[in-house]
Amino acid sequence: MNLGVQYYRAPFPEEKYWEKDFEQIKNSGLNTVQLWAIWAWIESKPGKFCFDDYDRLIELARKNNLGVIISTIAEIHPYWIHTEVPNSEMIDHMGRRVVSSNRSECHFGLTPGGCFDHPEVWNRMQCFLSEVVKRYRSADNLRGWDSWNELRWNVQSDGLVCFCDYTLDTFRKWLENKYNSLDELNRVWKRRYGSFSEIYPGKLPGRPYTEMMAFEHFITWRANQHGKNRYDTIKSLDPKHVVTAHGESSSILMGGSSGNHSINRGNDWFFADDMDGIGCSSFPKWFNLDDADFGMRIEFVKSAARDKLVWLSEIQGGRVATGFEPYESVEAISQQRWIWNGVACGADTLLFWCWRDEVFGYESSGFGISGDDGLAQERLSAMKETGKILEKYKNLILNYKPAKQEVGIMFSPQSYYLNWALEGNSNLCMDAIHGYARSLVRKSIPYIAVEEEHLNVLSDLKILFMPHNIVTDETTEEILIKFVKNGGTLVCESECGSFNSQGLYRYPVNRFTSKISGTNETGRRIFTTNYIKTNIADNKLKLGVTQWLTPWQKKEKAGKVLAENKEGVLIYEIPIEKGKLVLCGSYFGNSYLQNRSADFERFIELLSIEAGYNPEIQVISPTPKKNSFVYIKSGESLGKKVVFVFFPKDSKTTHLRFSKNFFHGKKIKDIITENNIPLSNTPKGQEIKINASKLKLSILTEI
């Protein structure tokens, strides 16, 4: 397992530190270093590649028995790029040529540089990648390649990009390939274009959705295609080592902004289709992520990876630095929880950013796991202990597989595109998924995010939640209907499928939910209270609502009414052959994210249980609080159950109940403390009580 740290972003750290640093890295329990191979630095003169510093670093890693992961930074372009490749600049949505500059956190090189739709720009990038791979593919301590760091391509473009002739030509060819002919595009889009050359991308949010959504979809595809090109280039020269890429977060959390189209750095599911794995960055102290949020991020990436590798490609090493803004230090307990949370979710590579405090730009004085925030020694001592555990139990950990998921959350990029086309961000759709995912994590319910073009996983699921899923196409709808008829439970929020993939609105009676259920929504209504009351399985609950209410027409003997008002049904449970629809007349996930409630968590738990999900682990105590809970992850390894228990920081003990025969044996061991844990068999199941260790976590397995 790779447990490592980012070391070199040329030209820092300076060479005088290297030898001692590598000795300390090895002694700290880490086994891998990551190096940024920056195009602008390595090929500062056209055609002349200088690898002296990297040769020395890789040799020092070998000397200290450290593996090496090379991150190929082909997106930091040399200063000569526009001289050698004239007219290669990106063009923004206002027709302005983008002026590149030094990137804010990288000492040498241009960003965004040239547009990689320009064939000569890509040719130069590909040449750089090839030279790096040929140089180091035979290094005996090479562990793999991170082919694209945080999937960056438009950083500091200062506007929406790219609208150059090369990109527009690629966009139109993509449309032609998608629709096969102009006549078919005109039929689907309800347009009368005379040629593909007449089609221009959407310019700004709030304009007609069709061209904007198409361009957003194209931008996502374009990023995925570029990632595949990088992968193919590296893999063709080095088929032996793994090649991955990583985003700054999961693509589910890439909702866009005024300068970024939604999901503009690619779709993780398609990256995983083409690569050996996919990863993400996580800086929990920076973004105030608790166990639920951090676990959710990894679950999203794991969902995309499916059976491929999952890398935590950047985890916060030390205190964040962004200019002169003060941030909280990183204590060892939190950092070790991040490591084991990653392992529990299925990650096999964990890399910290970074070893030393940065010295350049607005990141100066921050992020160093050995940095000057007062807690470096504490962190490194704890890391050494973790390294020992990973080594001692490496077979158990390397063969660990998370528990099978029977609960799904739908991720619809098309819904994100429409949300962005209207408002310049996809926060409504993104926050809805976030709300459901967070609540499932807090209930320790294994789940998978289901991307709308990767629906083959539905055959393993009992229930699928569709938070704020406002766009569906006919192919997706047919698969969802089949899922329900075969016994699945589909939970749809307000106006599910109210738009098609061209951004054209459907009247309620024309939506797939109406066609399959025999009833339909009556339109958008302003709510007078911010919650509705429901009763499910004899549990009386209050569910927060937001945005609007869309009551459903009440049909005699159509199904079970779980909530209603004078205008109609607000939660309708309707049987459909072997399965059922649960139709919700508002957006519960968004409301939950704004104002977290135990009732919503109980609501999704009860729906999951009624759909056939069988919870195997129950927390008896302590009871969850608004900002703390016992977080459980489980799975199997080498025929044994493995359970990760993350205690709240204010908890000294926890009492857990497992289903009968969950553990095959009678003896349980905590590999963190090496203590044996007594297991009691009761009429309700197997039970254990655990005392919290110093790290506030336990990893239980059968002896």
Side-chain angles (χ1 to χ4, degrees):
M1 186 170 190
N2 298 313
L3 181 65
V5 63
Q6 164 67 28
Y7 187 75
Y8 190 58
R9 181 161 62 182
F12 305 115
E14 296 178 67
E15 187 171 4
K16 62 184 178 182
Y17 300 112
W18 294 356
E19 191 150 353
K20 186 176 180 180
D21 281 351
F22 275 48
E23 291 176 6
Q24 291 180 331
I25 291 170
K26 180 61 179 177
N27 291 336
S28 71
L30 299 167
N31 59 33
T32 303
V33 292
Q34 183 181 41
L35 310 174
W36 265 31
I38 303 171
W39 182 18
W41 181 257
I42 290 171
E43 194 186 1
S44 60
K45 296 179 181 179
K48 298 185 182 299
F49 300 89
C50 181
F51 292 105
D52 294 356
D53 42 358
Y54 297 94
D55 291 347
R56 171 74 173 136
L57 287 162
I58 289 173
E59 180 55 38
L60 277 173
R62 180 185 293 108
K63 177 182 173 182
N64 288 279
N65 197 27
L66 292 167
V68 173
I69 290 173
I70 298 178
S71 188
T72 51
I73 313 298
E75 61 276 10
I76 298 292
H77 290 191
Y79 294 93
W80 48 258
I81 186 67
H82 299 308
T83 303
E84 293 292 311
V85 188
N87 300 314
S88 59
E89 293 90 346
M90 294 185 184
I91 304 297
D92 72 11
H93 64 293
M94 301 300 291
R96 299 170 298 202
R97 194 177 300 274
V98 175
V99 178
S100 296
S101 59
N102 280 52
R103 198 156 85 194
S104 55
E105 87 288 359
C106 188
H107 185 69
F108 190 80
L110 290 179
T111 190
C115 177
F116 55 65
D117 287 322
H118 192 301
E120 184 57 22
V121 170
W122 166 241
N123 180 56
R124 300 285 183 132
M125 294 174 77
Q126 188 176 39
C127 181
F128 159 71
L129 291 169
S130 299
E131 290 296 321
V132 175
V133 175
K134 287 186 287 186
R135 184 81 173 191
Y136 297 117
R137 62 188 172 186
S138 299
D140 56 12
N141 58 339
L142 181 66
R143 297 289 178 267
W145 303 91
D146 183 11
S147 64
W148 195 0
N149 177 271
E150 294 193 343
L151 309 174
R152 292 174 168 177
W153 64 272
N154 67 326
V155 176
Q156 294 175 202
S157 60
D158 305 318
L160 296 169
V161 287
C162 181
F163 295 79
C164 74
D165 289 341
Y166 295 98
T167 299
L168 293 181
D169 182 59
T170 306
F171 171 54
R172 290 159 182 155
K173 289 178 179 176
W174 176 80
L175 287 173
E176 188 171 5
N177 183 67
K178 181 178 176 67
Y179 291 101
N180 295 318
S181 70
L182 187 64
D183 287 343
E184 179 63 11
L185 179 142
N186 280 329
R187 184 190 70 80
V188 174
W189 283 20
K190 316 297 182 188
R191 297 285 201 264
R192 291 183 176 179
Y193 285 117
S195 68
F196 279 100
S197 63
E198 293 180 359
I199 303 173
Y200 280 83
K203 181 180 177 183
L204 287 169
R207 314 288 172 89
Y209 300 154
T210 304
E211 284 78 2
M212 181 64 80
M213 289 176 65
F215 191 62
E216 289 179 84
H217 192 176
F218 161 74
I219 289 293
T220 301
W221 171 87
R222 173 181 178 267
N224 281 113
Q225 188 62 41
H226 180 68
K228 185 178 187 303
N229 290 341
R230 289 195 186 205
Y231 173 86
D232 289 344
T233 298
I234 296 172
K235 203 71 175 179
S236 67
L237 296 169
D238 182 9
K240 177 181 176 182
H241 294 100
V242 299
V243 182
T244 69
H246 80 275
E248 65 173 322
S249 64
S250 160
S251 52
I252 290 179
L253 300 175
M254 298 296 291
S257 64
S258 60
N260 288 281
H261 290 104
S262 185
I263 324 178
N264 69 343
R265 297 190 188 187
N267 183 325
D268 289 345
W269 276 257
F270 288 95
F271 282 125
D273 285 345
D274 296 326
M275 298 185 178
D276 300 324
I278 189 68
C280 73
S281 298
S282 292
F283 291 79
K285 290 288 184 181
W286 191 357
F287 296 107
N288 194 30
L289 306 179
D290 66 3
D291 287 334
D293 290 325
F294 186 70
M296 175 197 69
R297 292 168 70 89
I298 309 169
E299 292 286 12
F300 288 162
V301 176
K302 175 63 177 172
S303 297
R306 287 150 283 161
D307 59 347
K308 299 287 187 72
L309 299 175
V310 176
W311 282 21
L312 301 191
S313 307
E314 293 181 34
I315 313 173
Q316 187 174 346
R319 180 186 57 212
V320 165
T322 54
F324 299 133
E325 199 65 32
Y327 287 91
E328 185 181 356
S329 296
V330 176
E331 76 281 10
I333 289 178
S334 291
Q335 194 164 74
Q336 298 309 301
R337 289 169 76 92
W338 303 338
I339 294 173
W340 291 113
N341 200 340
V343 173
C345 292
D348 81 302
T349 292
L350 301 97
L351 303 171
F352 288 92
W353 189 282
C354 49
W355 178 253
R356 281 185 167 271
D357 279 339
E358 300 284 9
V359 300
F360 175 72
Y362 74 97
E363 292 189 349
S364 300
S365 86
F367 298 98
I369 200 169
S370 66
D372 295 325
D373 63 355
L375 297 178
Q377 190 56 51
E378 173 191 313
R379 285 193 297 269
L380 295 177
S381 295
M383 193 70 67
K384 192 169 186 177
E385 293 304 311
T386 293
K388 290 178 181 177
I389 296 170
L390 287 170
E391 180 60 28
K392 182 174 181 178
Y393 293 98
K394 61 183 177 183
N395 288 333
L396 182 78
I397 292 166
L398 287 173
N399 288 283
Y400 167 79
K401 300 294 182 186
K404 180 182 177 181
Q405 305 100 334
E406 295 181 324
V407 176
I409 305 176
M410 185 79 159
F411 166 47
S412 166
Q414 297 296 329
S415 295
Y416 277 48
Y417 300 149
L418 190 141
N419 193 176
W420 194 95
L422 176 63
E423 298 182 318
N425 63 66
S426 301
N427 291 348
L428 289 175
C429 296
M430 181 175 67
D431 289 350
I433 294 178
H434 188 168
Y436 276 83
R438 181 179 173 83
S439 60
L440 287 166
V441 173
R442 280 179 55 92
K443 298 301 289 188
S444 297
I445 298 175
Y447 74 91
I448 185 171
V450 181
E451 199 270 344
E452 64 190 354
E453 293 189 67
H454 293 79
L455 298 178
N456 56 314
V457 298
L458 289 181
S459 59
D460 295 326
L461 301 185
K462 304 287 188 184
I463 186 169
L464 178 66
F465 294 97
M466 298 184 69
H468 221 296
N469 204 148
I470 52 178
V471 178
T472 55
D473 60 30
E474 291 182 0
T475 301
T476 301
E477 292 165 359
E478 289 173 4
I479 296 171
L480 293 174
I481 292 170
K482 183 179 179 181
F483 168 71
V484 174
K485 289 182 176 180
N486 287 341
T489 295
L490 191 65
V491 182
C492 304
E493 288 200 313
S494 175
E495 293 209 334
C496 182
S498 56
F499 292 84
N500 65 15
S501 296
Q502 289 71 49
L504 300 176
Y505 184 72
R506 294 160 165 158
Y507 297 122
V509 71
N510 295 326
R511 298 169 194 165
F512 86 98
T513 49
S514 299
K515 293 175 182 178
I516 188 175
S517 69
T519 184
N520 56 266
E521 291 161 294
T522 59
R524 303 169 184 175
R525 304 288 188 269
I526 296 174
F527 50 85
T528 55
T529 62
N530 59 2
Y531 66 87
I532 61 174
K533 295 180 180 180
T534 183
N535 188 329
I536 177 170
D538 295 325
N539 287 256
K540 294 181 179 180
L541 306 172
K542 287 184 178 181
L543 302 178
V545 296
T546 188
Q547 198 166 325
W548 54 57
L549 297 178
T550 52
W552 289 80
Q553 290 180 341
K554 190 173 182 179
K555 298 288 187 179
E556 194 170 339
K557 298 181 181 180
K560 185 187 298 183
V561 175
L562 301 181
E564 64 181 325
N565 66 8
K566 63 182 181 180
E567 293 199 68
V569 183
L570 299 177
I571 306 178
Y572 219 161
E573 184 181 288
I574 299 178
I576 308 290
E577 295 189 13
K578 295 179 181 179
K580 62 184 175 184
L581 284 176
V582 179
L583 304 170
C584 304
S586 191
Y587 300 110
F588 302 142
N590 296 76
S591 178
Y592 170 79
L593 196 63
Q594 297 166 10
N595 186 20
R596 298 165 191 168
S597 74
D599 279 10
F600 176 71
E601 294 171 6
R602 183 64 173 154
F603 175 69
I604 65 163
E605 180 182 42
L606 289 168
L607 286 179
S608 299
I609 291 171
E610 288 199 339
Y613 161 70
N614 180 29
E616 294 188 304
I617 306 173
Q618 180 183 357
V619 178
I620 305 300
S621 67
T623 56
K625 301 176 184 177
K626 187 172 183 178
N627 295 315
S628 69
F629 67 106
V630 179
Y631 171 45
I632 307 289
K633 290 291 297 181
S634 67
E636 289 194 9
S637 177
L638 303 173
K640 299 178 180 180
K641 294 286 188 180
V642 182
V643 180
F644 297 79
V645 183
F646 298 86
F647 294 75
K649 292 184 179 180
D650 59 354
S651 176
K652 296 182 179 180
T653 186
T654 186
H655 182 187
L656 304 178
R657 179 182 294 143
F658 303 88
S659 59
K660 292 181 179 180
N661 302 317
F662 178 84
F663 290 112
H664 305 302
K666 296 182 179 180
K667 294 183 178 180
I668 308 301
K669 182 178 183 178
D670 181 352
I671 69 172
I672 295 293
T673 63
E674 295 288 344
N675 293 333
N676 292 340
I677 310 295
L679 178 66
S680 302
N681 288 300
T682 74
K684 293 184 177 181
Q686 299 175 325
E687 297 187 14
I688 60 174
K689 293 182 180 179
I690 320 169
N691 294 323
S693 66
K694 180 182 177 181
L695 291 177
K696 296 289 187 177
L697 66 92
S698 293
I699 303 175
L700 310 176
T701 189
E702 301 166 80
I703 300 176

